[in-house]
Amino acid sequence: MAAYDFTAPRLHVEADLRAGLVLPLERAQAGYLLTVLRKAEGDRVHLFNGRDGEWRAEIRPNGRKSADLALIEQTRPQPAPADLHYLFAPLKTGRLDYMAQKAVEMGAGLICPVFTRYTQGERLKLDRLRANAIEAAEQCGILAIPEIAEPARLPEALDALEPGRLLVFCDEDAAVADPVAALRAAADPASPPPLAVLVGPEGGFSPDERERIAGRPATVALSLGPRILRADTAAVAVLALVQAVLGDAR
């Protein structure tokens, strides 16, 4: 049996969830269920808010374009939030949307924009970043919405990391060519420490930034192979490696 039921729509809501609650739908959500998906009275929907687990609800139309959801039962309890921090230099809007969604799918528990010397732009909409995180969670059965941190300059972002958190630094000039070997040498896969991943901008890090990152204790430089990857591609590649060797996919 599949771990999740993807046959029913899954919606994120802000309200607290409990048995017996009747929840009025926002207009956009009602339109999505009734008009786009053509759902009818009694059809089931899964709800989550990032706090109270996942709940099965039934549609109760109260007009042609509006509906309530009646909560029936909890289908999954709320899991602990993922303890993987993803730090990244902001990208152009379309690629930033993709990156945010993939970071959520790959298990990031905190998403933090980091401004570096070669960051292409510093205009960033955190509400859009959160909307992409919620969309990915809705589509992939994820119940814990990652925290979207306020943007920070690189020095401040590094200082904010706990001393014992292992920082995986994507570095095209890393001396160790084998990323799996580098991760295994940095931490015991049987008992890994809290993790953070840092991906820089398209232009890479400046020499002084590289020196500052490398000088932080509990930091490992990681090569992602012989090809130069775009920053959004690097996000998926490094998160997959980290989760497979030291994270929750091992």
Side-chain angles (χ1 to χ4, degrees):
M1 181 178 294
Y4 308 124
D5 175 12
F6 288 105
T7 62
R10 179 176 283 101
L11 293 179
H12 175 268
V13 296
E14 295 294 343
D16 294 335
L17 301 177
R18 63 182 185 276
L21 177 70
V22 177
L23 185 66
L25 274 175
E26 296 178 2
R27 181 168 182 172
Q29 292 177 324
Y32 172 68
L33 291 176
L34 301 179
T35 304
V36 178
L37 298 183
R38 298 187 178 277
K39 296 297 181 180
E41 183 171 3
D43 286 349
R44 70 182 186 278
V45 179
H46 289 153
L47 300 180
F48 70 104
N49 59 9
R51 305 182 301 275
D52 300 323
E54 180 184 76
W55 287 76
R56 180 172 66 85
E58 292 182 354
I59 296 175
R60 303 285 168 81
N62 57 23
R64 190 168 64 88
K65 294 185 178 180
S66 61
D68 298 331
L69 291 178
L71 275 69
I72 307 301
E73 63 179 352
Q74 188 183 66
T75 54
R76 286 190 286 156
Q78 183 66 33
D83 193 17
L84 171 60
H85 294 186
Y86 180 65
L87 286 63
F88 68 96
L91 309 172
K92 294 179 181 178
T93 299
R95 290 165 56 203
L96 179 60
D97 292 346
Y98 172 88
M99 185 227 66
Q101 293 167 7
K102 300 311 167 188
V104 175
E105 292 176 36
M106 297 304 299
L110 179 141
I111 297 176
C112 179
V114 176
F115 295 135
T116 69
R117 178 168 298 180
Y118 300 139
T119 297
Q120 293 181 354
E122 297 190 1
R123 297 184 63 183
L124 188 66
K125 296 181 179 179
L126 294 184
D127 56 346
R128 185 182 180 114
L129 202 58
R130 177 171 168 79
N132 275 285
I134 289 173
E135 180 182 346
E138 286 179 332
Q139 294 179 353
C140 296
I142 296 167
L143 298 183
I145 304 297
E147 177 186 351
I148 307 298
E150 290 290 330
R153 296 287 174 184
L154 180 62
E156 288 73 28
L158 295 175
D159 290 344
L161 295 173
E162 311 96 301
R165 184 175 294 275
L166 177 64
L167 175 64
V168 179
F169 158 42
C170 293
D171 182 7
E172 63 271 19
D173 295 328
V176 178
D178 183 345
V180 174
L183 289 172
R184 287 176 174 165
D188 181 4
S191 182
L195 300 168
V197 169
L198 172 62
V199 175
E202 296 290 329
F205 293 100
S206 67
D208 59 315
E209 288 174 333
R210 189 183 303 275
E211 182 178 356
R212 187 178 190 114
I213 297 167
R216 177 191 177 272
T219 297
V220 56
L222 200 68
S223 167
L224 296 179
R227 287 165 291 279
I228 300 298
L229 304 179
R230 287 167 43 150
D232 48 341
T233 308
V236 179
V238 68
L239 288 169
L241 280 167
V242 168
Q243 291 287 45
V245 180
L246 299 176
D248 60 13
R250 67 187 188 280

